[in-house]
């Protein structure tokens, strides 16, 4: 059995320009600003998003453009004739040291992720590599894998992986299909807010194991 190789990577500070190939970095904007390209450009059209938090919190994070929004209990509902129902939630994570070997993508949805309190954290990423059905014949020479979720993709290469550090009051919006590993952090535990579809982790969760398929584990040097 081959020995696992450790690949050490230095993190890059996540900014709108450094992170543009993977998604968006959303920072605080003045109250009253209109929706624009600097806000999270979401694709939640292929399922049912969710969030069990008071709706003002959601409004303060992401400005949404829907015509028929109604408050119901502690959730923000989109009218049945509007595109979808939102669910935005907080996840508590413990023991995430600065290393990883698995990386995941979601083929049907963008994802928003940020830390509660603006504490620093890290995310490993690689560019989306989903192969659309009309592109299958044109990808000669590339290793194409069929996901159990139904779509096809090219596995991420070791050299394609980057580490980003997220500091302060900002969150990341991941493009549809962006490979990601994390959140990862130095503290014993952290809380993160997360926006994705209600069934993302059930039917839209494709994982590549660098340890199993490439004999590699990534270590973050910071």
């Amino acid at each position: 059995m081959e020995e696992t190789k450790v690949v050490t990577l230095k993190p890059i500070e996540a900014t709108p320009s450094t992170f543009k190939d993977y998604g968006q970095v959303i920072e605080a904007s003045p109250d009253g600003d209109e929706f624009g390209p600097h806000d999270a450009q979401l694709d939640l059209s292929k399922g049912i998003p969710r969030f069990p938090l008071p709706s003002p919190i959601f409004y303060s994070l992401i400005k949404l453009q829907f015509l028929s929004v109604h408050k119901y209990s502690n959730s923000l509902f989109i009218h049945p004739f509007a595109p979808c129902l939102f669910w935005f939630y907080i996840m508590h994570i413990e023991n995430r040291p600065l290393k990883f070997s698995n990386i995941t993508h979601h083929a049907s949805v963008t994802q928003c992720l940020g830390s509660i309190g603006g504490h620093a954290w890290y995310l490993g990423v690689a560019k989306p590599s989903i192969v659309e059905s009309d592109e299958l014949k044109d990808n000669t020479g590339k290793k194409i894998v069929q996901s159990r979720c139904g779509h096809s993709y090219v596995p991420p290469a070791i050299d394609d992986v980057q580490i980003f550090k997220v500091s302060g009051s900002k969150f990341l919006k991941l493009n549809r299909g962006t490979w990601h590993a994390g959140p990862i952090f130095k503290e014993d535990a952290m809380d993160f807010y997360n926006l994705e579809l209600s069934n993302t982790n059930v039917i839209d969760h494709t994982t590549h194991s660098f340890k199993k398929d490439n004999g590699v584990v990534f270590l973050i040097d910071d």
Side-chain angles (χ1 to χ4, degrees):
M1 184 176 180
E2 293 185 7
E3 184 178 352
T4 301
K5 178 183 177 182
V6 176
V7 175
T8 302
L9 295 176
K10 286 276 192 181
I12 303 167
E13 187 68 30
T15 68
S17 59
T18 61
F19 198 71
K20 61 183 176 59
D21 290 334
Y22 311 97
Q24 294 175 269
V25 176
I26 309 299
E27 301 177 280
S29 58
D31 185 31
D33 271 10
E34 295 185 359
F35 184 90
H38 59 284
D39 294 302
Q41 308 297 309
L42 305 179
D43 181 358
L44 302 169
S45 61
K46 298 183 179 181
I48 303 175
R50 64 183 191 176
F51 70 102
L53 291 175
S55 57
I57 295 178
F58 186 78
Y59 280 124
S60 68
L61 296 172
I62 304 172
K63 302 168 187 175
L64 299 174
Q65 289 184 315
F66 288 106
L67 296 178
S68 50
V69 177
H70 299 274
K71 292 182 180 178
Y72 178 79
S73 184
N74 288 327
S75 295
L76 172 67
F77 275 74
I78 302 301
H79 189 275
F81 295 104
C84 50
L85 167 70
F86 283 92
W87 184 15
F88 174 74
Y89 64 101
I90 290 176
M91 56 185 183
H92 178 75
I93 303 177
E94 300 180 358
N95 190 28
R96 289 289 179 89
L98 304 188
K99 60 181 180 180
F100 65 93
S101 59
N102 290 339
I103 196 165
T104 297
H105 75 228
H106 308 305
S108 299
V109 65
T110 54
Q111 181 178 8
C112 293
L113 187 64
S115 70
I116 302 297
H119 303 294
W121 56 285
Y122 306 85
L123 192 72
V125 296
K127 294 178 184 179
S129 58
I130 296 171
V131 180
E132 304 296 345
S133 57
D134 58 352
E135 299 174 334
L136 288 174
K137 293 182 180 180
D138 299 329
N139 277 273
T140 55
K142 295 183 180 180
K143 178 183 179 182
I144 298 178
V145 177
Q146 179 77 33
S147 170
R148 64 178 180 82
C149 302
H151 63 280
S152 298
Y153 66 92
V154 176
I158 296 170
D159 293 339
D160 291 340
V161 177
Q162 299 280 353
I163 305 295
F164 283 90
K165 182 176 182 179
V166 186
S167 306
S169 299
K170 63 184 71 170
F171 69 94
L172 301 182
K173 187 221 78 177
L174 303 179
N175 289 338
R176 185 175 68 89
T178 292
W179 293 97
H180 55 284
I184 303 166
F185 43 84
K186 295 179 179 180
E187 286 77 3
D188 293 334
M190 286 181 65
D191 293 332
F192 292 83
Y193 48 84
N194 191 11
L195 174 64
E196 57 190 15
L197 299 180
S198 60
N199 57 1
T200 292
N201 287 326
V202 178
I203 67 169
D204 187 19
H205 195 275
T206 299
T207 298
H208 174 78
S209 173
F210 283 106
K211 186 174 183 179
K212 177 182 176 182
D213 296 339
N214 307 94
V216 162
V217 172
F218 292 95
L219 181 67
I220 302 172
D221 180 14
D222 191 28

